[in-house]
Structures are given as structure tokens and as C-alpha cells.
Amino acid sequence: VSQSRYQADVISHGGNLLLDIGPKEDGTIPAEQVNVLKELGSWNRKHEKAIFGTRAGIPQGHFYGPTTISKDSTSLYLFLQGQTSGTILVKGLSNAIKEINVVGNGTKLKHKVVGKISWSPVPGLIYIDVPNGVQDKYITVLELKLDKPVKLYQGRGGFE
């Protein structure tokens, strides 16, 4: 359902998705629109913690896709559009990651930090391995549970 892609984009910017669904002359809703509502409703239920009660996510340069942040800012949700499996990259996240889960099925994922120097405030690059078999049929969502509220590195180099 392309509506789940639209919804991920809209909520990652702090908005709400309005669906243009109306009844026919006899008051019934067309079957195609009923299907859209059912599929989107099912996807929403599965991923509700990443959608409802969240706020706009992190800027695009840190992750190339929609994101949301939990109300307490200690969970970062990544919406993987078009990505089925492989390695996901997150840049500039100063937080330590406590764990990563696939929302909706609970699979725990592994990550590694590359390029972090102990004396530098510049965070390393975070690589997350997404194996085959954990994907949602529309959009897979990852939850990064963080050590403290989301903090992004805003500097330009290792000597600032």
C-alpha cells in the first residue's frame, strides 16, 4: 500500500495523513478504498509504537528515510522504504544504542560503530545488519533503543 509510504513520510515531519475516501451515491464505500483502509489499518496496528504518540524524526542527512522519535526521545524509529535486507547506515548519532528491534515482530538486530575515536566528540558511523526474513510486506520499521534522549552531532570535525 503506497499509503503506508505516504504516512511514514508525513509523520516523520510531524504531520498527520488525511485520506480522501468518500462514499458512493448509495452511501457505500468502494471496495478498493475499503481494501486501502484495511491494509493501512493493519500496518498501523503492527507499527503503532513508531507512529502514534511520536514526534518528527531526525534530519535527512543522518538517515536516508523517514524517522520518528518516541515521546521521551529515547527510541528512534527508522522506516526502511524499498530496503529489503542488507546494511542500514545512521550518521551523527551521539547516543549509545542499547538494542535494536524490528517493530511488529521483535527480532533483535546487530549493529557496529565504525570510525569512533575515543578522544573525539565525533560519533562513528552506525551500521545495522538487516537479515532476510524480517521484512514487512510494505515498510519495515526498526526501533533503536538509546541510552538517553536522542542527541545528534552538529559539528564539522574531530577537533571542535
Side-chain angles (χ1 to χ4, degrees):
V1 167
S2 61
Q3 279 74 15
S4 57
R5 288 179 189 246
Y6 294 136
Q7 182 170 7
D9 286 334
V10 169
I11 63 174
S12 73
H13 291 94
N16 292 307
L17 180 65
L18 299 175
L19 299 174
D20 185 20
I21 293 184
K24 298 191 286 188
E25 289 179 11
D26 65 359
T28 61
I29 297 176
E32 313 82 53
Q33 293 181 354
V34 168
N35 184 54
V36 166
L37 290 172
K38 285 182 178 181
E39 290 293 311
L40 187 57
S42 176
W43 187 83
N44 281 343
R45 274 189 300 283
K46 182 178 178 183
H47 300 97
E48 65 184 313
K49 71 194 288 186
I51 299 168
F52 304 108
T54 59
R55 58 187 184 88
I58 60 176
Q60 278 290 81
H62 297 279
F63 174 73
Y64 295 102
T67 62
T68 58
I69 300 172
S70 63
K71 227 174 218 173
D72 67 0
S73 297
T74 61
S75 285
L76 172 62
Y77 299 98
L78 309 178
F79 293 76
L80 310 183
Q81 294 183 321
Q83 180 85 32
T84 54
S85 62
T87 303
I88 303 302
L89 174 63
V90 179
K91 302 177 196 174
L93 183 63
S94 295
N95 298 80
I97 298 172
K98 295 195 303 190
E99 73 179 36
I100 301 173
N101 297 303
V102 178
V103 177
N105 72 29
T107 303
K108 296 197 183 319
L109 302 182
K110 295 181 180 181
H111 74 284
K112 62 184 172 186
V113 178
V114 176
K116 173 66 179 140
I117 302 170
S118 62
W119 51 264
S120 172
V122 179
L125 301 173
I126 299 166
Y127 291 93
I128 303 167
D129 294 320
V130 181
N132 287 319
V134 301
Q135 290 71 28
D136 181 81
K137 70 179 179 176
Y138 297 118
I139 297 177
T140 304
V141 182
L142 305 184
E143 178 184 21
L144 282 62
K145 292 184 180 181
L146 309 173
D147 62 338
K148 56 189 174 193
V150 173
K151 183 177 178 210
L152 299 174
Y153 178 70
Q154 301 295 326
R156 290 193 196 110
F159 297 107
E160 291 184 24

